[in-house]
Amino acid sequence: MADVIFKRVGDGRPYPDHGYVQKQWAAIPPHQVRLDQLVTTKRNLDLEALLEEDSTFYGDLFAHVVFWQGDLYLEDGLHRALRAALQQRQTMHARVLELK
């Protein structure tokens, strides 16, 4: 079987709106998640943003992941995840919000 970066490439957020804002995300401690367990919520990315060294300067240093119905959805941090994959890493640090 070929190596994959993500579990699945999605298009949109299938989970209910959680209403979390940056301050609430910041209260969730980050931990490592495997890239191959993530489902993306975006099909497309901005290549220029991917290649910018300071692309996380104004945002959270950690990706935002939503755990819902057994899947980990990469809500914010696609560029960070792809950068990690390009650096041959299989994991990245993310804040994970569990929805019930």
Side-chain angles (χ1 to χ4, degrees):
M1 184 172 156
D3 290 337
V4 296
I5 296 174
F6 301 114
K7 180 178 181 178
R8 192 168 66 247
V9 174
D11 190 18
R13 300 173 182 174
Y15 48 86
D17 183 17
H18 50 70
Y20 266 55
V21 296
Q22 186 62 36
K23 187 174 183 178
Q24 291 166 300
W25 277 106
I28 300 172
H31 65 273
Q32 284 195 345
V33 295
R34 291 185 51 86
L35 298 178
D36 63 3
Q37 295 300 307
L38 296 173
V39 177
T40 69
T41 58
K42 297 177 187 171
R43 281 196 176 281
N44 300 307
L45 65 100
D46 179 354
L47 186 57
E48 189 173 328
L50 173 67
L51 299 174
E52 284 180 8
E53 288 189 30
D54 65 347
S55 64
T56 61
F57 183 76
Y58 294 105
D60 195 337
L61 292 176
F62 303 104
H64 295 174
V65 172
V66 175
F67 181 73
W68 186 66
Q69 294 187 343
D71 280 318
L72 291 168
Y73 292 94
L74 182 59
E75 179 173 293
D76 181 51
L78 180 58
H79 296 90
R80 290 176 196 85
L82 286 172
R83 247 186 262 114
L86 289 171
Q87 294 170 353
Q88 304 295 310
R89 296 185 318 204
Q90 296 178 352
T91 62
M92 66 183 279
H93 282 87
R95 301 181 193 278
V96 179
L97 172 64
E98 187 172 342
L99 294 183
K100 306 232 184 228

